[in-house]
Amino acid sequence: MSGELTPTHSPQGAASFIEQVKQAQPALAPVAHPWLACFRAEGMERFAKAGLPTTRNEAWKFTNLRGLDKLSLSPAPDAKSVPVDAIPTALEAAGPRLVFIGGQFRADLSRIQGLPDGVLLDALSAQMEADPQGLADRMEGLLARFPGADHPMRSLNAAFLADGVLLHVPAGVKLAQPVELVFLAPAGVAAAWHPRLVVVVEDGAEATIVEHHAGQPGAAYLSNIAADVAVGKGARLHHYKIQREGTDAFHIATLNTHLADASTYDTFVLNLGARLARHEARQVLGGEKIEARVSGAYAIGGDQVSDITTLIDHAKPNCTSREVVKGVIDGKARGVFQGKIIVRPDAQKTDGYQLNRALLLSETSEINSKPELEIYADDVKCSHGATAGELDEDQMFYLRARGVPRDMARVMLIGAFLDEAMDEIIDEQVRAYFRAAAAAWMGTERA
Amino acid sequence: MSLIEIKNLHASVDGKAILKGVDLTINAGEVHAIMGPNGAGKSTLSYVLAGREGYEITEGSVTFDGQDLLALEVEERAAAGLFLAFQYPVEIPGVTNATFLKEALNAIRKTRGESPLDAMQFLKLIRAKAKDLSMTDEMIKRAVNVGFSGGEKKRNEALQMAVLQPKLAILDETDSGLDIDALKIVAEGVNKLRSPERGMLVITHYQRLLDYIVPDVVHVLANGRIQKTGGKELALELEAKGYAEFGISDAAA
């Protein structure tokens, strides 16, 4: 039952892509550590067997990766030669951050100092050199928490394991400042990179992560991220992501998060960029009294596709999950929301809430919404709702009748619509930053 | 010079003629009332003047303060000084009253060539106006009309009018859904805005509102046209006799 998000095999469609991928793989620096080498090899094997997911399998019914196999995946240039003029930040004060260009760590742009004792924050590439055993142990420990979570895009990510982030916060340690993870695409480069995030927040610890993914239009690249996250007993993790890839890019992120007793996970994704973005997040509520907040928003136009697919898996009693996903869709763009909540037989007293709303700004825009509740316990409170609509004409007329110009009235109403989702973000700085990013989208969309 | 001059105005909705030749002139400083039975075209007239979509003007003209009103966009009409107090004010979740009114006022000021008010100046202004209408700070901070009672919504309309200071205010069935106390507060707010420079058009089904906002001129609108015009005593006459003499039996009148 835990394999719901796992597509079945469909190798024929992407044979040429697999060939390309195989040809690109020898360019990777070899790894000496046997577990890590095996991890890569197994990833390659699994991906070659599975191929790219197609719309024939249920989990990918609404999101077609067809264009992906036609990309020419030239090797990314050495990240050190890429000039960087601005690094996005959601924060007023400079905090710890790791910067990646084309998937490669840039130490000169990163800041790792000033963390409490015992906190490990580093690039995976550096840890593969410095402590491959420690990295392998952590990755193995994490993977054991998600049995049956095979996924072609995760396999592809594993096949190209080269860089990414390791964050380990020991028990009881609270990070005062958010950690920013910045992934930038080099301009004009059609390449693929596969960053991996390895995050362990031990019992009673607290951390905030802000992921930035950004690029320029004009290059068809693939950013294929995989994350494994464990939040210990009574720990708190705030995990935010803003995705502003170039509008010719593919962005695929596949996250597995395991939550222990009385932990809090507060996550939010804002999708603004990419030609096709899929954010697929599986949350396993593996303890009691967990609070999981899994929300998101998107604003897209043109030919963009934004897919937010989530699984909230209630395994134990007395947990709360809350999910608010709202999107604004213009042009010929398409939004996809697949939100599954499983309440297993043991998960009595589960309190689950899910809301999905789409605002369609054009006649050619589209939303595919698929809420799914699978409830096997009898004493639970679960509600969900999905709506799609246009801007309210009465509201538009009312605003304009008071003198607010049409464009401004639209911005006010779209902003108010998205705010219902943005309000789910607990961190005030991040909330303000995400709201401003959405407002900037409205500004360019109007022009 | 007249503030607004409506000449032979014809309008239809979905091909059905609703206004069939309305003539009406209001001068600065005057308060006119339009009374009429249900379906006479009262609300259509107010929406056509405010510029709502869905109404086709088939004939006639409206000159507002020297401009061709019907050629203006909705927001341009507001900027030119036209204000419609809605019969059913619209709820806008997620937009606060204060933000809404500040954007509206500054957009109008911009059109007039005036500098925008900053947050402090605006807050001072809105607080003073709200106090006149017994509105609390909390109501200003709330989302526009969300969770407001019928009376609060109408007070909110009066507040917007007081802040935006229009040249012509059209009050569409402002008395509907109000108890007598709420009606008095709203009417008092409206009366404060009476001035030699400002015109008002009060649209109502019942005479009751006109006890509190006393008009200079009363018109009877029935079957898409002004059927009769008189002084404030005409309202009392209609209250007693109903609209039967205009070919319409209206039990409510």
Side-chain angles (χ1 to χ4, degrees):
Chain A
M1 193 186 298
S2 53
E4 278 82 9
L5 296 183
T6 306
T8 51
H9 295 177
S10 51
Q12 60 273 42
S16 64
F17 185 70
I18 293 167
E19 268 320 297
Q20 258 203 70
V21 164
K22 278 182 176 167
Q23 279 165 20
Q25 209 195 21
L28 284 175
V31 275
H33 192 273
W35 190 89
L36 294 172
C38 178
F39 180 75
R40 265 189 190 171
E42 270 187 28
M44 191 69 218
E45 203 177 300
R46 284 198 182 134
F47 181 73
K49 213 188 268 179
L52 285 172
T54 75
T55 51
R56 277 195 300 278
N57 52 62
E58 189 62 21
W60 292 82
K61 193 165 86 181
F62 302 118
T63 298
N64 194 337
L65 294 180
R66 200 181 298 144
L68 192 56
D69 57 6
K70 294 187 183 67
L71 295 191
S72 74
L73 301 174
S74 61
D78 188 352
K80 286 182 186 63
S81 65
V82 176
V84 175
D85 46 7
I87 296 169
T89 177
L91 312 173
E92 280 163 24
R97 78 171 176 208
L98 299 187
V99 178
F100 298 82
I101 312 292
Q104 299 162 45
F105 181 55
R106 276 282 292 264
D108 59 319
L109 302 174
S110 301
R111 286 190 295 258
I112 307 188
Q113 66 277 39
L115 291 161
D117 283 350
V119 173
L120 180 55
L121 172 66
D122 203 356
L124 279 200
S125 52
Q127 283 298 303
M128 283 160 83
E129 295 283 326
D131 182 15
Q133 187 59 45
L135 176 63
D137 288 347
R138 288 187 182 93
M139 289 177 70
E140 199 174 0
L142 280 166
L143 292 176
R145 294 172 186 269
F146 309 101
D150 272 7
H151 189 296
M153 299 313 287
R154 288 178 71 83
S155 300
L156 182 63
N157 175 282
F160 286 90
L161 176 73
D163 217 334
V165 177
L166 172 63
L167 173 63
H168 191 138
V169 187
V173 173
K174 291 181 167 44
L175 293 188
Q177 282 178 295
V179 174
E180 289 197 286
L181 309 176
V182 183
F183 298 88
L184 302 177
V189 176
W193 42 88
H194 309 267
R196 192 159 195 108
L197 313 186
V198 178
V199 178
V200 178
V201 181
E202 286 191 21
D203 296 353
E206 181 165 1
T208 300
I209 295 170
V210 184
E211 286 180 50
H212 299 259
H213 300 267
Q216 303 297 322
Y221 60 87
L222 164 66
S223 183
N224 177 36
I225 303 112
D228 296 296
V229 179
V231 185
K233 289 181 182 168
R236 297 171 73 89
L237 178 61
H238 307 276
H239 187 176
Y240 308 118
K241 167 179 158 183
I242 175 167
Q243 182 274 110
R244 282 188 278 196
E245 305 279 13
T247 45
D248 298 297
F250 287 82
H251 174 98
I252 295 171
T254 319
L255 295 84
N256 282 341
T257 301
H258 186 275
L259 305 170
D261 285 330
S263 60
T264 300
Y265 184 54
D266 157 40
T267 187
F268 192 95
V269 57
L270 176 60
N271 265 346
L272 298 174
R275 160 184 168 193
L276 184 152
R278 165 123 160 169
H279 178 88
E280 181 172 329
R282 167 196 298 254
Q283 282 71 213
V284 177
L285 281 64
E288 297 195 31
K289 295 181 181 164
I290 293 163
E291 188 189 350
R293 303 163 62 92
V294 181
S295 293
Y298 55 92
I300 49 173
D303 292 315
Q304 288 179 287
V305 175
S306 162
D307 175 339
I308 294 178
T309 292
T310 61
L311 172 63
I312 297 173
D313 189 344
H314 284 268
K316 294 276 159 55
N318 298 310
C319 294
T320 303
S321 68
R322 189 177 157 80
E323 176 170 36
V324 179
V325 175
K326 298 188 82 173
V328 180
I329 312 167
D330 204 353
K332 291 184 198 159
R334 197 156 53 85
V336 177
F337 172 74
Q338 303 184 102
K340 185 166 190 166
I341 299 174
I342 301 179
V343 180
R344 299 195 184 262
D346 194 24
Q348 299 294 358
K349 306 280 182 195
T350 289
D351 186 347
Y353 173 80
Q354 183 192 78
L355 178 71
N356 169 233
R357 286 205 169 127
L359 182 59
L360 302 171
L361 295 182
S362 71
E363 285 183 8
T364 47
S365 58
E366 196 182 325
I367 170 74
N368 302 121
S369 182
K370 187 181 160 196
E372 264 185 289
L373 267 62
E374 261 183 35
I375 300 173
Y376 301 102
D378 49 20
D379 185 13
V380 301
K381 199 170 84 184
C382 271
S383 65
H384 74 103
T387 63
E390 298 161 19
L391 275 179
D392 186 303
E393 277 181 29
D394 289 339
Q395 293 177 349
M396 278 297 288
F397 176 63
Y398 192 67
L399 289 170
R400 294 177 67 202
R402 295 294 173 260
V404 180
R406 184 198 298 265
D407 286 349
M408 170 75 82
R410 273 170 69 97
V411 167
M412 286 172 81
L413 293 180
I414 295 169
F417 174 83
L418 289 177
D419 273 351
E420 194 189 349
M422 302 279 193
D423 285 348
E424 295 294 314
I425 301 171
I426 289 175
D427 188 290
E428 280 179 28
Q429 266 189 95
V430 173
R431 193 192 316 135
Y433 181 76
F434 280 21
R435 286 176 69 166
W441 175 86
M442 289 183 252
T444 55
E445 198 63 12
R446 274 190 298 150
Chain B
M1 196 182 80
S2 61
L3 187 57
I4 190 166
E5 194 173 6
I6 303 170
K7 276 190 186 163
N8 192 32
L9 186 64
H10 289 66
S12 57
V13 178
D14 297 330
K16 185 173 180 259
I18 308 287
L19 301 183
K20 302 167 187 169
V22 173
D23 291 291
L24 177 66
T25 298
I26 301 172
N27 296 309
E30 293 175 355
V31 174
H32 289 226
I34 289 188
M35 299 185 70
N38 292 325
K42 301 192 299 290
S43 284
T44 297
L45 178 62
S46 66
Y47 284 145
V48 164
L49 294 177
R52 191 180 188 123
E53 282 173 25
Y55 297 88
E56 196 194 346
I57 315 294
T58 50
E59 214 181 323
S61 67
V62 181
T63 308
F64 177 63
D65 204 23
Q67 296 183 76
D68 176 4
L69 185 76
L70 301 178
L72 300 179
E73 293 287 336
V74 177
E75 55 268 34
E76 291 170 338
R77 297 180 196 204
L82 186 92
F83 182 96
L84 169 64
F86 283 55
Q87 181 178 4
Y88 303 109
V90 178
E91 296 184 6
I92 309 183
V95 177
T96 68
N97 244 337
T99 305
F100 163 52
L101 257 182
K102 183 160 173 274
E103 293 294 346
L105 179 62
N106 281 338
I108 288 176
R109 288 178 66 92
K110 193 177 170 191
T111 313
R112 290 181 193 151
E114 297 164 4
S115 60
L117 295 187
D118 65 30
M120 286 306 291
Q121 292 168 316
F122 176 76
L123 202 62
K124 207 175 155 192
L125 171 73
I126 192 171
R127 278 199 175 133
K129 302 291 186 190
K131 203 176 160 207
D132 289 345
L133 290 156
S134 313
M135 287 175 72
T136 58
D137 266 17
E138 192 263 335
M139 285 171 79
I140 296 167
K141 285 178 195 151
R142 260 197 270 167
V144 178
N145 292 324
V146 175
F148 282 38
S149 69
E152 286 172 338
K153 284 180 181 171
K154 296 299 169 79
R155 267 192 276 168
N156 206 18
E157 295 292 288
L159 171 68
Q160 293 168 27
M161 200 192 312
V163 169
L164 299 178
Q165 296 277 317
K167 288 178 185 148
L168 176 68
I170 303 167
L171 281 66
D172 187 7
E173 307 263 2
T174 291
D175 49 334
S176 70
L178 291 192
D179 61 32
I180 196 71
D181 293 327
L183 182 66
K184 279 181 185 168
I185 293 172
V186 172
E188 210 175 288
V190 171
N191 284 330
K192 262 191 193 152
L193 290 171
R194 290 181 82 147
S195 88
E197 292 81 37
R198 183 169 291 126
M200 289 191 188
L201 181 59
V202 183
I203 294 173
T204 181
H205 189 108
Y206 302 107
Q207 185 269 338
R208 184 180 73 154
L209 177 65
L210 304 182
D211 288 341
Y212 300 97
I213 303 172
V214 180
D216 303 304
V217 183
V218 175
H219 309 273
V220 179
L221 180 70
N223 195 25
R225 299 185 62 154
I226 302 287
Q227 304 284 355
K228 193 172 183 180
T229 296
K232 61 187 173 203
E233 67 288 345
L234 178 56
L236 294 166
E237 200 182 300
L238 287 167
E239 185 79 359
K241 291 198 213 157
Y243 295 105
E245 72 169 285
F246 307 104
I248 290 148
S249 76
D250 188 313

